[in-house]
Amino acid sequence: MQLSVIILAAGQGKRMNSDLPKVLQPLAGRPLLEHVIRTARAIEPENIYVVYGHGGAQVQAALPHESVDWILQAEQLGTGHAVMQAMPVIPDDHRVLVMYGDVPLIRAETLTKLLAATDDDSMALLSTKLQDPAGYGRIVRDPGGGVRAIVEHNDATPEQLAIREINTGLMSVPAKRLRAWLLNLRNDNAQREYLLTDVVAAAVIGNCRVSAVVAGDAEEAMGVNDKIQLAQAEAGYRQARAHELMLAGATLADPARIDVRGEVRVERDVFIDINAVLIGKVRLGARVKIGPNCCIRNSSIGEDTEIHANCHIDGAVVGDNCRIGPFARLRPETVLHRDVHVGNFVEVKNSDIGAGAKANHLSYLGDAQVGRDVNVGAGSITCNYDGANKWPTIIEDGAFIGSGSMLVAPVRVGAQATIGAGSTIAQNAPDGELTLTRAKQTTISGWSRPAKLSEKDKEAAIDGALQRPKSV
Ligand code: UD1
Ligand code: CA
């Protein structure tokens, strides 16, 4: 049977108390709905329909790259009504998998398990057992263990409220059957809504086999309705990603204190200290060491490189065996070749730094091409911006830039050139020579330090110096 996925994402999410529609609340930096769409895509259905409504344009605009079919639910009259909006475009011979936009941690393997539990004429739902089932729909079974109905929390009797097996919201149903059951839904319940969950009782009456697949991992089935559950989902996501990294061979100083918000690939024996935030596409080569409090985004780090505490690395390609930080910042389009040292309070942007080069203290290298084994002294910077345009700086192999130098771009420093400390270099410096700009050092003999003045003498001195009329 061909598969159509319907993702319900039209609700407002009142319990979030937020101007942002619930399905756009961020989990690991991406909207809840994006997580659900990606998981749906992993099982390769024929179609993915997203039912949207509350905050409509905002929801679509937040996910411009998702090629899904958007179905408008103009009025949010309940989950059953939401599914009904998509049914006109789904053929009778399809299987429908319903997913909820606010159940973001569900795994593709679990969806596959759910689908495997059904045949052409039966339905299956995903349940799980919770210590605290408050708020969820309860799975009511008959004495033989067969599923009889789902009863929403607000409609449940005291005995039903004691049931710990809950509805996760995911169900797999033959389209033809679902269409018929939805047409008979009524809204005579506590919420005055058309509840998708009522199709279970309809299936039982219609002699359709209903099986419940129990998700072993209650965490992946959790619904996100308020900010507390959002934080719990974030913690669940964090833990799952940390486990993946550890299974791939990384040692984590504390698996509870790492945030992976993207696709991170680690090789063997990587060590990551606490509070690392890894965003987007990140690759860490074998034996890379990351110190505490580092943020690394869309970057690749070569093997044996060590990144000390408090570094910020974004859009950089770092070679093997480099030493970075503490407190270094690598900005987009930075390439460090092997054995480069970038030390504390050094910022590098859109620059290519040759093998073995060092900038160990308090430097800015922007739009620079730096050769092999160059040494950039403490406090030296490229002056790459003239207020209107950005200009390049070229430093050839083996050059030595004395501390506190200003390289006013566009400018070239030749191979093996030496720049004297404190120079302002605005013209090209030739290969192999010492170039410097420096005022002659003088000593004023007999000079004495200022003495403390009375308030009156000080005022008079200021008036004189600033050429102000005498104060009265
Ligand atoms: C729902 C289930 C409940 C289950 C729980 C699991 C129903 C009636 N109840 O309850 O059995 O235990 O999820 O997390 O389905 N939505 C629409 N249009 C609407 C209403 C809702 O698209 O008119 C969407 C929401 O955006 C949300 C999802 O459907 O993504 C679920 O709605 P929500 O109101 O959160 O249902 P729950 O009360 O959590
Ligand atoms: Ca919910």
Side-chain angles (χ1 to χ4, degrees), residues 23-332:
V23 293
L24 295 187
Q25 297 288 333
L27 173 72
R30 291 184 285 125
L32 291 176
L33 179 56
E34 195 180 316
H35 290 271
V36 179
I37 293 174
R38 285 197 183 178
T39 310
R41 185 151 291 137
I43 58 166
E44 300 179 345
E46 263 61 51
N47 305 91
I48 299 177
Y49 300 101
V50 178
V51 181
Y52 73 109
H54 183 84
Q58 203 182 346
V59 172
Q60 283 180 304
L63 299 159
H65 307 300
E66 298 297 344
S67 56
V68 295
D69 292 310
W70 295 94
I71 306 272
L72 179 67
Q73 184 194 22
E75 257 187 301
Q76 284 74 63
L77 302 180
T79 49
H81 179 260
V83 171
M84 226 183 287
Q85 307 311 302
M87 292 313 291
V89 293
I90 298 179
D92 265 347
D93 61 353
H94 272 218
R95 166 164 299 284
V96 172
L97 173 67
V98 179
M99 297 178 73
Y100 285 9
D102 66 348
V103 181
L105 297 182
I106 210 80
R107 291 177 304 134
E109 299 83 80
T110 307
L111 300 182
T112 309
K113 229 164 90 186
L114 181 65
L115 292 171
T118 53
D119 55 35
D120 286 5
D121 200 40
S122 68
M123 70 168 285
L125 53 90
L126 186 73
S127 74
T128 194
K129 290 193 174 122
L130 296 183
Q131 280 302 82
D132 176 15
Y136 289 94
R138 308 297 204 280
I139 308 288
V140 179
R141 291 181 182 260
D142 58 33
V147 175
R148 214 171 56 201
I150 299 173
V151 179
E152 288 305 293
H153 183 97
N154 290 337
D155 297 313
T157 63
E159 298 83 70
Q160 289 168 337
L161 285 177
I163 299 172
R164 285 182 35 222
E165 187 184 4
I166 62 99
N167 171 35
T168 66
L170 276 84
M171 58 172 74
S172 158
V173 199
K176 187 173 173 197
R177 294 288 208 136
L178 181 59
R179 201 184 315 280
W181 298 332
L182 288 171
L183 286 174
N184 290 323
L185 285 186
R186 300 211 324 249
N187 68 346
D188 50 358
N189 48 56
Q191 291 93 305
R192 314 238 42 96
E193 287 185 351
Y194 298 93
L195 308 177
L196 176 64
T197 43
D198 285 348
V199 304
V200 173
V204 172
I205 292 167
N207 276 327
C208 173
R209 188 166 63 83
V210 183
S211 48
V213 174
V214 184
D217 172 8
E219 207 136 72
E220 78 168 297
M222 73 174 292
V224 176
N225 300 301
D226 58 30
K227 295 281 170 74
I228 295 173
Q229 289 172 330
L230 185 62
Q232 286 164 346
E234 185 81 32
Y237 183 92
R238 189 185 297 135
Q239 190 188 47
R241 297 291 84 75
H243 286 183
E244 283 168 11
L245 292 188
M246 291 189 287
L247 289 175
T251 300
L252 305 182
D254 181 355
R257 284 183 290 172
I258 178 169
D259 279 68
V260 174
R261 303 178 189 158
E263 296 159 41
V264 175
R265 231 182 70 213
V266 292
E267 277 157 44
R268 300 170 84 81
D269 297 314
V270 161
F271 173 79
I272 305 177
D273 213 324
I274 57 161
N275 297 337
V277 183
L278 308 176
I279 306 171
K281 282 208 160 88
V282 173
R283 190 191 74 86
L284 305 177
R287 298 172 300 283
V288 161
K289 278 197 184 127
I290 312 277
N293 308 322
C294 288
C295 177
I296 304 179
R297 171 191 217 119
N298 295 326
S299 295
S300 152
I301 313 294
E303 52 188 52
D304 295 305
T305 284
E306 199 164 335
I307 298 173
H308 297 289
N310 301 302
C311 287
H312 198 278
I313 297 181
D314 183 6
V317 176
V318 176
D320 296 347
N321 202 39
C322 292
R323 298 285 168 270
I324 298 172
F327 295 99
R329 180 173 183 208
L330 305 184
R331 291 168 53 197

Side-chain angles (χ1 to χ4, degrees), residues 344-423:
N344 37 247
F345 305 106
V346 173
E347 175 180 352
V348 185
K349 182 214 79 170
N350 183 35
S351 293
D352 187 288
I353 313 290
K358 296 186 175 72
N360 271 330
H361 328 270
L362 304 145
S363 283
Y364 171 57
L365 298 170
D367 307 310
Q369 192 187 314
V370 176
R372 301 172 70 93
D373 299 317
V374 163
N375 193 311
V376 178
S380 290
I381 66 166
T382 54
C383 309
N384 61 326
Y385 184 50
D386 61 12
N389 300 294
K390 300 270 169 70
W391 300 100
T393 299
I394 296 173
I395 306 175
E396 308 271 18
D397 292 353
F400 181 96
I401 313 295
S403 294
S405 295
M406 306 288 117
L407 305 177
V408 183
V411 73
R412 173 193 296 269
V413 176
Q416 301 297 328
T418 302
I419 302 297
S423 297

